[in-house]
């Protein structure tokens, strides 16, 4: 009998790319809220989920993830970086939410785990400055005046650049830290490749969210044009709020929209 | 309306990780046939597809792939390397076939495209010597006595090593070059994560196969032990036949087993 | 006129791989002290620098480096990981010191900057668990019982693995955090390639060292055999002490031994 | 006694990053000749070597290199890709030559081996289409009408893009395939970091050059602006000639200019 949550399905199930949830994540995050063209944002959002407000958030994240703790003692299994693009939704019958149109990661386990949860992950190269708890010119400590940067490149082209400067004030949770986040699950069937995949909208089932609180920042954000990636089609107007800090979360499954 | 064969589903469908088939592939291949413990091989194969013979093939491949030609003029979109492990099946009511239990690639497009076709791809680092059409000490030309090597590492651990020496004779097509190849498609549903995914067995629908013919080689093959990857559970006995050459193939979809 | 501290030498000097010192570094470190065969260690150490004691330290480091701050707002220019192997020296006429026989990094700027300082850097892939300031299963926080891991691979082969468990007690600075560290500078002259390079022994000129203090750990350390890398020739006996924490340092140049 | 041509200097000399010459190289090359602003080119060239003509060549190369053949059976030690920028020199007392102001590679051995030869290598990500000897949509075979592409990115930013279309005619050897090529060797001394390094101009001592001949191409070439890399300071006017093919060469040392 073949075992496993995901391919490869094998006799012991140890080789399967993704182990079953719960999935525990903890990481360092730079969060940049932005305004963009509302009509253009609307084109990225399934109408049944809500109405695009023209606001969104880019998260740059340096994650550590584990299921049973084993990945933490062999950290190549545990660590990855990603850039998450979210659009804010107004919902007629409920609180505001986010929808994830685009997200880029640098590790296979996280890519497939994301697709299962409705995060439409492909590969990208994310870099983000870390704040170290030291008073030193290379430490970028969490205090007023510290400058931090982040970037995303996809297939050797820069797509996103951000620059932050900490204000010394308390910041806000933004994006997925502030609202439930919906995404899309859909698997094409190659035995009928002309038929578009059936799309389901889900949100991850979250427990055990923790954070250190957030350090407020001023930010500049740039989306660079790219013919394939569609990110610049959002018509970015500019960054509004930004914050930096640590967060942890556990995902136990997904909930239909 | 959101478009695309795969995530991300976007307004223009240009950002989707995988474009619809046909998918054209051409590459340089080192093929090593092996014998292993038949009972252990049987544990990796769905019984309904056939009986493991205790033979298999490892392919090391340096691919170039395209849909409409655009990837060939921006080759970061087109090129990748992979290691393919196949097990041979005897089938009561038809010709012999292969089943793919494990396969490792180094690029996101190919990973998801593989999962759709039943190739259970995760990431690995594949290296293989190339034969260049030159008489030079670094060229490893296609002639008797030339030595070639290949390796696979997964998460910074070597899993497979192969060494080949060309005999100067004509070689055989092996593995997926010789027999139809079945694999497994299965998508976990995170809204019911305790339920194992429904597995379907399919084979890629192949057209337009071409090759340069094959150069015979003697080979040594090693599977290194690894707690997670299960490859060494096959009980490798050793390499039998090997060959090197170029092949091209086009995939138009998949056919149920 | 061509400008620059290092190649490429260019009209503006902006493209030179390494900018002039001072070089500021801050990072997260796992430090593992070890015992090995003293005679074998002696073979790695220039006799004029001192006598190998049979003790040494492996540092796994996740660095952020800058010259003028610009690298911190484009962090792909700033961040890298490395594994540092040091051997302890008894010195007849002075305090104990370290000598660096082997060191592995994952970024070009750091590689050449190291060679200039006597750190004999080549490429390797280093991973190390981070302690995040959160109470969460993926955070590996700095408290008794937390387990951390680290690994080094060179050319897709694992060379070093370490596992640590924090004791909850205060730990010691180890290795380069405790003693001055010597290394070797030597540049072959290809116009006379048969002549061995002249070797000079230097130590980096260090200012502005800071740290968070150190968290004590128990550790297991493994050096895996590799024909080319020579690390396992040290005859590792085992880990003795270990610690984890943050440190910053500034290098202004080098001092002859 | 410590052995080795380059760091690390070790008891057996096996770990040294670069083994002594001869160094054998064979590879697949796309060569694009270009015109640029002559005065700007002159600023990149040491006056004593000759006068910039305002012509140059970009080579995109997919190499395989070996010293004693051992690297060819463990190809992670052997293969790398690079982008070579050359400027043509008129020389008062001799034939035309090239000077190499900038070159980007993706492997540590090649980086240091280059610095020793006067090739001012830093890291970059090079991709180039390959021509496979197959009649297939993904093979880009060597015949009229085939389109090929190449790109260079440095620190996640694209610097160079090229597109070629084969004409079906015989092409010319270009750049380092046509003229001797000079470069710069210079090692900063960190014990006196304020003193600029002494620069020596050398050319590699070449033997055993072979090629398959060259396939002519039409080409478009773009240098993308980048504040650090200086390449776009050359004032590119456009591509003139281009060619594709295989070449091999052996380097035995270097000759002073």
């Amino acid at each position: 009998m073949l075992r496993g949550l995901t391919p490869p399905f094998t006799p012991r199930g140890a080789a399967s790319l993704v182990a079953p949830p719960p999935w525990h994540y903890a990481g360092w995050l730079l969060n940049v809220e932005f305004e963009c063209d509302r009509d253009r944002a609307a084109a990225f959002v399934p109408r049944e989920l809500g109405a695009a407000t023209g606001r969104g958030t880019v998260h740059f994240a340096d994650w550590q993830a584990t299921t049973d703790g084993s990945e933490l003692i062999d950290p190549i299994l545990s660590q990855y970086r990603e850039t998450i693009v979210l659009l804010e939704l107004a919902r007629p019958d409920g609180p505001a939410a986010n929808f994830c149109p685009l997200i880029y990661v640098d590790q296979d386990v996280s890519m497939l785990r994301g697709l299962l949860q409705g995060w439409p992950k492909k590969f990208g190269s994310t870099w983000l400055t870390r704040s170290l708890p030291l008073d030193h010119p290379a430490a970028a400590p969490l205090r007023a005046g510290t400058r931090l940067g982040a970037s995303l490149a996809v297939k050797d082209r820069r797509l996103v650049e951000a620059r932050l400067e900490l204000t010394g004030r308390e910041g806000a949770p933004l994006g997925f830290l502030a609202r439930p986040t919906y995404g899309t699950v859909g698997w094409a069937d190659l035995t009928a490749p002309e038929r578009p995949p059936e799309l389901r909208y889900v949100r991850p089932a979250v427990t055990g969210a923790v954070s250190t609180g957030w350090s407020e920042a001023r930010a500049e954000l740039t989306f660079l044009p790219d013919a394939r990636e569609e990110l610049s089609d959002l018509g970015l107007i500019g960054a509004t709020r930004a914050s930096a800090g640590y967060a942890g979360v556990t995902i136990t499954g997904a909930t239909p929209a």
Side-chain angles (χ1 to χ4, degrees), chain A residues 69-89:
Chain A
S70 63
E71 298 91 346
L72 293 178
I73 54 175
D74 192 8
I76 192 174
L77 298 171
S78 172
Q79 296 175 352
Y80 61 96
R81 293 197 293 257
E82 69 186 354
T83 300
I84 307 168
V85 180
L86 300 179
L87 296 173
E88 193 189 71
L89 303 181

Side-chain angles (χ1 to χ4, degrees), chain A residues 83-121:
Chain A
T83 300
I84 307 168
V85 180
L86 300 179
L87 296 173
E88 193 189 71
L89 303 181
R91 291 163 63 82
D93 54 352
N98 306 299
F99 178 74
C100 180
L102 295 165
I103 176 169
Y104 302 89
V105 72
D106 60 9
Q107 194 232 41
D108 57 348
V109 180
S110 174
M111 180 174 131
L112 185 55
R113 203 164 49 195
L115 296 180
L116 294 170
Q117 292 174 66
W119 301 92
K121 295 191 184 186

Side-chain angles (χ1 to χ4, degrees), chain A residues 112-186:
Chain A
L112 185 55
R113 203 164 49 195
L115 296 180
L116 294 170
Q117 292 174 66
W119 301 92
K121 295 191 184 186
K122 50 203 290 194
F123 263 56
S125 168
T126 296
W127 292 86
L128 62 157
T129 313
R130 291 184 209 121
S131 283
L132 309 184
L134 295 168
D135 184 3
H136 188 272
L142 280 173
R143 67 180 180 210
T146 288
R147 300 176 69 199
L148 308 160
S151 63
L152 168 70
V154 177
K155 301 292 180 195
D156 277 359
R157 288 184 176 92
R158 286 232 175 168
L159 276 197
V160 182
E161 292 186 339
R163 294 189 177 188
L164 286 77
E165 182 173 337
L166 299 179
T167 65
R169 291 188 294 266
E170 192 179 346
L174 300 171
F176 80 86
L177 304 158
R179 288 174 294 279
T181 299
Y182 291 89
T184 311
V185 173

